[in-house]
């Protein structure tokens, strides 16, 4: 006896899988478009046109533009911290872990240049949006993870005991931020990989007990 074939949903009815996939498409499109222009000026009409949808179709998946941007920022937080924390928790020596995290961050920006643009735009936002809260949380979590590894490096003797872990984490993040701003202004993220080694050497000199 053959099993009955499962009923397909009527045409035009969105299944849970379709909804999840479409939400992901919308979020990734926000990040992609942010890499080409000011994310603060990105409109629902532009996003819908990029996805070949009507503006009303977007609101079948998100209640508002703010909700779309919050989800995009949540994707940036999860994706970037997944890369960075994976390196910091790799079990390698502290300085090696920091180096891996540094270059993983650089590669992430090369692949998703819209991600830092979104973070910068939200942090400059004078309002109290969910996306801004997520961006702030991202930086706090990132800095805290760096501080833990730097402190571990001091205990193992790899990192200078006089280094302040909090200040050192800001140096690490500031160095990457400077690189990103330079490349965004130049409009060429490929130069990021060329400049990153020299920037890392400066971080290494500031932290390490011994020279490279």
């Amino acid at each position: 006896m053959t099993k009955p074939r499962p009923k397909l949903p009527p045409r035009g009815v969105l299944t849970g899988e379709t909804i999840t996939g479409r939400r992901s498409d919308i979020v990734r499109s926000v990040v992609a478009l942010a890499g080409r222009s000011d994310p603060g000026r990105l409109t629902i009409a532009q996003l819908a046109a990029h996805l070949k949808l009507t503006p009303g179709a977007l609101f079948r998946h998100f209640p508002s533009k703010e909700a779309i941007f919050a989800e995009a920022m949540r994707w940036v937080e999860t994706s970037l911290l997944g890369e960075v924390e994976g390196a910091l928790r790799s079990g390698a020596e502290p300085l090696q872990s920091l180096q891996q995290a540094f270059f993983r961050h650089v590669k992430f920006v090369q692949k998703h240049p819209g991600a830092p643009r979104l973070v910068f735009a939200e942090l400059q936002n004078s309002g109290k949006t969910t996306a801004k809260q997520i961006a702030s949380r991202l930086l706090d979590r990132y800095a805290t993870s760096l501080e833990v590894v730097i402190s571990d490096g001091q205990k193992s003797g790899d990192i200078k005991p006089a280094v302040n872990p909090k200040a050192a984490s800001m140096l690490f993040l500031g160095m990457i931020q400077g690189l990103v701003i330079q490349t965004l202004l130049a409009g060429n993220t490929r130069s990021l990989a060329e400049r990153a080694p020299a920037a890392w050497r400066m971080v290494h000199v500031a932290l390490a007990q011994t020279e490279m």
Side-chain angles (χ1 to χ4, degrees), residues 13-32:
V13 174
L14 294 174
T15 64
E17 184 177 348
T18 303
I19 291 171
T20 302
R22 182 61 75 189
R23 284 173 64 93
S24 177
D25 290 343
I26 293 169
V27 165
R28 290 175 180 275
S29 292
V30 170
V31 178

Side-chain angles (χ1 to χ4, degrees), residues 1-5:
M1 185 175 178
T2 59
K3 293 182 179 180
R5 294 175 64 183

Side-chain angles (χ1 to χ4, degrees), residues 2-197:
T2 59
K3 293 182 179 180
R5 294 175 64 183
K7 291 184 178 180
L8 295 175
R11 288 182 181 276
V13 174
L14 294 174
T15 64
E17 184 177 348
T18 303
I19 291 171
T20 302
R22 182 61 75 189
R23 284 173 64 93
S24 177
D25 290 343
I26 293 169
V27 165
R28 290 175 180 275
S29 292
V30 170
V31 178
L33 289 172
R36 304 173 193 172
S37 59
D38 180 2
R41 296 183 178 181
L42 178 60
T43 67
I44 289 295
Q46 289 171 327
L47 180 57
H50 179 77
L51 287 159
K52 296 181 173 57
L53 297 173
T54 64
L58 297 181
F59 294 121
R60 296 172 68 182
H61 305 283
F62 292 95
S64 64
K65 179 181 176 181
E66 181 180 339
I68 294 173
F69 272 73
E71 192 65 21
M73 188 59 66
R74 195 171 287 112
W75 180 88
V76 172
E77 177 189 37
T78 301
S79 302
L80 177 57
L81 288 180
E83 290 290 333
V84 171
E85 290 181 344
L88 295 177
R89 296 173 181 172
S90 64
E93 295 297 320
L95 276 171
Q96 291 178 335
S97 295
L98 290 169
Q99 183 177 10
Q100 289 174 19
F102 188 95
F103 285 99
R104 282 194 187 187
H105 191 153
V106 167
K107 286 182 179 179
F108 180 83
V109 173
Q110 283 184 291
K111 188 174 181 181
H112 306 288
R117 281 181 176 272
L118 280 171
V119 174
F120 294 154
E122 287 301 332
L123 291 177
Q124 293 176 54
N125 192 333
S126 59
K128 294 182 179 180
T129 65
T130 302
K132 183 176 182 178
Q133 293 173 352
I134 296 170
S136 297
R137 183 178 69 197
L138 160 61
L139 294 180
D140 288 343
R141 284 181 58 187
Y142 197 155
T144 299
S145 296
L146 290 172
E147 289 172 36
V148 169
V149 174
I150 292 166
S151 294
D152 288 345
Q154 290 177 311
K155 293 172 186 175
S156 67
D158 289 340
I159 294 177
K160 299 170 185 175
V163 166
N164 181 300
K166 193 174 191 67
S169 70
M170 292 300 101
L171 170 67
F172 183 104
L173 289 170
M175 194 65 70
I176 293 177
Q177 182 179 0
L179 282 173
V180 171
I181 290 174
Q182 286 178 352
T183 55
L184 290 179
L185 289 173
N188 179 14
T189 56
R190 285 177 296 181
S191 65
L192 194 59
E194 299 170 1
R195 300 178 182 184

